[in-house]
Amino acid sequence: MTIPPAILWFRNDLRLSDHAALRAAMETGRPVLPLFILDDAAAGQWSPGGASRWWLHRSLTALQRSLEQRGSHLTLRRGDSLTIIATLAAGGAEVFTGGSPDPWARRLDKSVSDALPGRVHRMRTATLFHPDSILTKTGGPYSVYTPFANACLALGGPRQPDSAPGTIPAVPARDLATIPSDRLEDWNLLPTKPDWAAGLRETWEPGETGAMDRADSFLTHGLSGYADARDRPAGDGTSMLSPHLHFGEISAAQLWHKALVRPAGKGRDIFIKELLWREFCANLLWHNQGLPESPLKPEFARMPWRDDRPALAAWQKGQTGVPVVDAGMRQLWQTGWMHNRVRMIVASFLIKHLMIPWQDGEAWFWDTLVDADLASNAGNWQWVAGCGADAAPYFRIFNPVLQGEKFDPQGDYVRGFVPELARLDARHIHAPWQAPPDALARAGVTLGKSYPKPIVDLAAGRARALDAYAEIRRNA
Ligand SMILES: Cc1cc2nc3c(=O)[nH]c(=O)nc-3n(C[C@H](O)[C@H](O)[C@H](O)COP(=O)(O)OP(=O)(O)OC[C@H]3O[C@@H](n4cnc5c(N)ncnc54)[C@H](O)[C@@H]3O)c2cc1C
């Protein structure tokens, strides 16, 4: 190559604005070679699941378009990242990339840095702060959310984000012609038969423009009412920005500053604190690399989990007979996303009422969520299971009926995703097995036929879980 380029190795930061690695690559004055590598072998068990692959295809399409509008071109490669980068950098190129707390990504970063000493520049593109910059007074990582969030707030917020460059210096065409690039279509990231992605297509617009549009719309219309609306799964009271944040189509710093120019209020404060939950999870994973697989509280490894495949399958399909659980699991399947309140309810039901390992739920979420994020997924599953660093108390077992009645009082959320119960009145919709026969008949519901009977007795399931948790604590 005539001039060795600055390789811009995109990771979970598929945007052009507020991109520290892009900015640093451009500051070298070299041509910039944007690159994305799909490296399933390096990610292993945590390579993107089905819903994430769908999103990735759409997001890379959007990124390709944005780069081309700026006179640049995205090189796509599938395979071993180290070999690909070492080959591209053989002529003296420098590499600019973002960081990630994911264990496999950190291992990969180290091997690339070792192979190209002094030529790999890792910048922070995914989190608000570097995980090693938020430490307790004794220099250790935080294991409790509130002091962690206070420490972040005391820093006065992240740096001001910058806008996308108007043009990006391209690798000369004759050099680019020598660099192999895959066709995105050949990666087969989209489902074919069966095509389960219709609901995803209706719900989402992946890419930086879609992310900005959603952020602006939420901050304009949703932020002021967020404090009250965010716990109601039937409305659109939350931002639904999580997949855009996970893929880095918008940065947490951009959102933070966009929120801060809005009128002060409870909604704004809570929204910032939610961004800090994301940050906390990333921090937890950075400092506890076993988070996705092993309980942070080791005594929980002795939990007497049940191996109940039929119950797991019923949960996955939204056929447990517990309406709010089924609505959540079907929302997940149809749209690739589930409301946070309902994520907590379905996770608690799986772990506690069914006594199925949290890792099984984590794996299902990994495959089906468009926002599947190793740190947030593992951190939250451990939180619900009570085995995480800053965990829900072990005796907190969500009662799905009471949760449904409190947060979906009219039953609209359940009706939206469980049409079999659509005609059941609000008084009975969260516990149809307690409804009088004439109410069921009027609504056209036959339990065990048109809609399942509950697969577990809620009181007995709760008692069983409490016993098991008490036993773990006794022997801790
Ligand atoms: C069992 C379980 C698994 C989860 N798995 C994931 C996951 O894989 N990926 C993921 O992004 N979130 C996960 N969450 C957290 C949370 O449910 C989602 O971030 C949230 O529902 C996304 O919707 P939103 O963008 O409308 O959130 P908003 O309420 O608009 O919040 C704004 C942003 O704050 C962050 N955030 C909010 N709550 C949390 C939280 N509890 N933990 C971490 N970040 C948070 C998200 O980035 C979110 O986009 C999980 C929660 C549970 C209980």
Side-chain angles (χ1 to χ4, degrees):
M1 259 187 267
T2 342
I3 313 169
I7 298 173
L8 170 60
W9 178 20
F10 280 106
R11 316 289 280 278
N12 276 350
D13 45 23
L14 304 178
R15 65 178 182 274
L16 299 183
S17 54
D18 191 35
H19 200 299
L22 169 59
R23 196 171 51 233
M26 288 181 64
E27 280 165 6
T28 62
R30 299 176 185 217
V32 175
L33 176 68
L35 169 72
F36 183 85
I37 305 173
L38 182 65
D39 189 349
D40 284 323
Q45 171 190 8
W46 300 116
S47 69
S52 296
R53 290 172 111 75
W54 175 86
W55 191 287
L56 182 63
H57 182 104
R58 298 279 307 270
S59 192
L60 288 173
T61 307
L63 184 65
Q64 273 175 328
R65 204 177 315 120
S66 305
L67 284 164
E68 271 153 27
Q69 283 162 357
R70 289 164 175 83
S72 186
H73 172 81
L74 181 63
T75 293
L76 293 172
R77 298 292 294 278
R78 181 175 206 166
D80 179 57
S81 306
L82 179 57
T83 312
I84 292 166
I85 291 173
T87 309
L88 286 173
E94 306 258 318
V95 180
F96 296 84
T97 192
S100 162
D102 297 7
W104 70 268
R106 289 183 69 185
R107 282 194 297 276
L108 182 58
D109 279 337
K110 183 170 179 326
S111 60
V112 174
S113 297
D114 290 348
L116 300 171
R119 286 200 280 147
V120 181
H121 310 280
R122 227 178 0 263
M123 335 293 289
R124 194 165 34 74
T125 58
T127 53
L128 294 163
F129 310 103
H130 192 284
D132 285 334
S133 68
I134 314 285
L135 296 171
T136 62
K137 288 201 177 70
T138 54
Y142 280 96
S143 54
V144 179
Y145 167 77
T146 303
F148 170 84
N150 289 340
C152 294
L153 291 168
L155 289 178
R159 60 176 197 283
Q160 277 290 342
D162 56 9
S163 44
T167 56
I168 297 174
V171 171
R174 64 180 176 287
D175 289 338
L176 197 58
T178 66
I179 300 174
S181 180
D182 298 344
R183 275 168 16 111
L184 185 56
E185 296 68 39
D186 294 340
W187 287 3
N188 299 322
L189 297 173
L190 301 177
T192 45
K193 281 188 196 138
D195 173 15
W196 42 259
L200 275 64
R201 288 192 291 273
E202 274 164 30
T203 314
W204 304 102
E205 188 54 55
E208 190 167 4
T209 308
M212 288 295 167
D213 288 350
R214 198 177 275 268
D216 290 337
S217 162
F218 169 75
L219 293 170
T220 307
H221 307 292
L223 190 63
S224 56
Y226 178 69
D228 296 322
R230 73 195 182 102
D231 257 330
R232 304 268 160 152
D236 47 1
T238 69
S239 71
M240 294 181 79
L241 281 162
S242 48
H244 298 288
L245 277 164
H246 168 73
F247 284 91
E249 299 165 352
I250 188 166
S251 72
Q254 284 173 307
L255 264 178
W256 179 293
H257 286 286
K258 273 176 174 288
L260 274 198
V261 297
R262 301 283 162 175
K266 213 167 145 201
R268 194 180 79 173
D269 293 349
I270 295 177
F271 186 69
I272 296 276
K273 288 197 172 138
E274 295 300 340
L275 294 178
L276 291 175
W277 265 109
R278 174 179 180 272
E279 193 78 6
F280 180 60
C281 291
N283 207 273
L284 266 187
L285 178 57
W286 180 268
H287 293 290
N288 303 279
Q289 293 273 281
L291 187 76
E293 290 92 19
S294 314
L296 284 183
K297 295 198 173 110
E299 63 271 23
F300 280 83
R302 293 196 311 273
M303 198 71 171
W305 297 118
R306 294 171 59 242
D307 179 14
D308 187 343
R309 298 289 116 180
L312 178 62
W315 178 82
Q316 290 170 336
K317 288 191 223 132
Q319 294 288 350
T320 66
V322 180
V324 73
V325 172
D326 292 343
M329 298 309 293
R330 296 186 199 184
Q331 179 179 35
L332 174 60
W333 183 252
Q334 284 169 34
T335 69
W337 184 87
M338 193 196 302
H339 188 278
N340 180 58
R341 167 63 47 186
V342 191
R343 290 188 204 205
M344 291 192 280
I345 299 170
V346 303
S348 173
F349 181 77
L350 183 80
I351 299 167
K352 299 185 175 166
H353 284 100
L354 297 179
M355 287 287 295
I356 290 179
W358 58 269
Q359 292 94 333
D360 285 353
E362 180 195 29
W364 182 251
F365 270 30
W366 184 256
D367 198 29
T368 51
L369 276 173
V370 284
D371 64 24
D373 179 272
L374 203 53
S376 292
N377 200 29
N380 277 285
W381 275 98
Q382 291 227 23
W383 184 87
V384 178
C387 58
D390 183 11
Y394 80 97
F395 49 81
R396 180 182 294 160
I397 298 181
F398 282 118
N399 178 324
V401 175
L402 297 182
Q403 289 282 312
E405 287 169 355
K406 182 165 179 198
F407 296 109
D408 182 33
Q410 299 310 317
D412 294 337
Y413 178 71
V414 166
R415 283 192 193 89
F417 290 101
V418 187
E420 308 94 287
L421 301 179
R423 287 161 49 212
L424 203 53
D425 56 79
R427 261 180 315 150
H428 301 117
I429 196 158
H430 289 292
W433 61 92
Q434 289 170 351
D438 61 325
L440 290 174
R442 270 198 312 277
V445 177
T446 313
L447 288 181
K449 277 202 169 148
S450 65
Y451 182 69
K453 292 179 183 164
I455 60 169
V456 63
D457 177 273
L458 292 179
R462 178 187 156 83
R464 178 174 62 188
L466 280 174
D467 281 353
Y469 274 79
E471 182 70 18
I472 292 286
R473 272 170 58 94
R474 254 196 305 279
N475 297 320

